[in-house]
Amino acid sequence: MLDYKIKTYEEAIDIVNEVGLLPLAPLFPDYPSLSSITVKENWYTETEFDPWGWRTRFAADGIAAYGKFVKKKSVLISRELLPYIRTVLGNPMSVKDRYYNGMLLKDAFDLHSHILQEEGIDTRLLRAKADMKAKEKKKAFDNGLLELQASLDIVVSGTKEKQNAIGEKNGWNSTSYETIEHWTEKNKIENIEIDREEALQKLLQHFSVISSPESMKKFQKLFL
């Protein structure tokens, strides 16, 4: 496995740019993850060295796309590789066309519509607007977001602080989402016109250089 050990956000940026796809937790054999290359004791400390705080900072800074894009697991995708991975793993049909062709659940379609109307909407407001605040609707809400992330239709745009009536922090921060089109345009990421086969070869070539034989098998299975 590539032997990285880092302590700072700036060092993490270099790793994301080098590997192109960095899971938060171990996902591929003999392949780095954010948790494997950082100091365990720094996690959840709310300091500048806390990797948990970096994950949404990548997205907010436009350094890397962040979301549950692979096997329902959170990963970071570099700006350079995002157009290729989106071509290979995403769906060429629009969200609307997929819904009307029976290829997308209504919950996912409705959530996408609300995110499209209010880019960067946080989960608390999104659940309210989608009429999914009830406890029994949480699973449908979570599954809808997972479906949209897996097809790279939406990305995590950052977090929003929960505050009480007088503006004091009150509880955990809330994840916010935006469409991938909005995120890439906002961060000036070029929309490369390339067919799936060309994008696939680009990805296989990239990961063959940095992957062990075992991890390469997993990448081939993921992309093919």
Side-chain angles (χ1 to χ4, degrees):
M1 184 176 80
L2 297 172
D3 189 21
Y4 299 114
K5 286 298 176 185
I6 63 171
K7 291 184 178 180
T8 69
Y9 175 65
E10 289 71 25
E11 289 173 326
I13 290 175
D14 291 337
I15 302 302
V16 171
N17 289 334
E18 181 177 342
V19 301
L21 188 154
L22 183 68
L24 256 65
L27 187 58
F28 305 104
D30 304 320
Y31 187 83
S33 66
L34 188 61
S35 63
S36 71
I37 64 175
T38 51
V39 180
K40 182 179 178 181
E41 289 73 22
N42 285 342
W43 281 75
Y44 313 116
T45 57
E46 297 189 358
T47 67
E48 64 177 303
F49 302 108
D50 180 3
W52 181 248
W54 301 345
R55 75 198 195 288
T56 51
R57 185 177 172 187
F58 282 110
D61 291 349
I63 301 298
Y66 172 59
K68 295 183 177 180
F69 306 129
V70 178
K71 300 180 181 180
K72 300 181 181 180
K73 303 297 182 182
S74 296
V75 300
L76 295 156
I77 301 176
S78 71
R79 296 167 57 94
E80 180 183 355
L81 284 197
L82 180 60
Y84 303 101
I85 291 180
R86 187 183 178 193
T87 298
V88 173
L89 295 185
N91 195 307
M93 294 178 66
S94 69
V95 169
K96 184 177 180 180
D97 286 344
R98 272 180 278 153
Y99 172 64
Y100 285 113
N101 281 278
M103 300 167 62
L104 188 72
L105 294 176
K106 185 178 186 302
D107 290 328
F109 177 72
D110 289 344
L111 289 172
H112 184 268
S113 298
H114 287 293
I115 294 170
L116 190 62
Q117 290 170 13
E118 190 170 341
E119 300 281 4
I121 188 171
D122 72 89
T123 51
R124 285 185 292 265
L125 183 56
L126 181 57
R127 286 185 72 176
K129 290 203 168 188
D131 192 25
M132 301 179 77
K133 289 183 69 175
K135 184 177 180 180
E136 60 269 20
K137 292 187 177 181
K138 186 179 185 305
K139 184 176 181 180
F141 177 79
D142 291 341
N143 286 341
L145 289 178
L146 282 173
E147 186 173 4
L148 292 170
Q149 289 173 85
S151 53
L152 280 93
D153 290 303
I154 64 170
V155 300
V156 173
S157 57
T159 57
K160 292 187 177 179
E161 189 176 84
K162 185 179 180 182
Q163 298 180 340
N164 60 21
I166 59 174
E168 296 174 333
K169 184 176 179 180
N170 181 26
W172 292 100
N173 290 348
S174 179
T175 304
S176 54
Y177 294 90
E178 62 187 293
T179 62
I180 194 167
E181 290 84 5
H182 186 268
W183 189 84
T184 54
E185 181 179 355
K186 179 179 69 178
N187 293 297
K188 297 180 173 58
I189 297 174
E190 184 180 359
N191 183 25
I192 299 173
E193 294 292 336
I194 187 172
D195 64 37
R196 191 181 187 280
E197 184 58 32
E198 288 180 279
L200 174 62
Q201 292 307 314
K202 167 75 173 180
L203 293 176
L204 293 178
Q205 180 182 16
H206 170 81
F207 288 105
S208 67
V209 175
I210 62 174
S211 302
S212 69
E214 285 303 310
S215 60
M216 193 60 201
K217 288 179 184 177
K218 295 296 184 181
F219 280 118
Q220 289 173 330
K221 185 177 180 180
L222 173 65
F223 295 135
L224 294 175

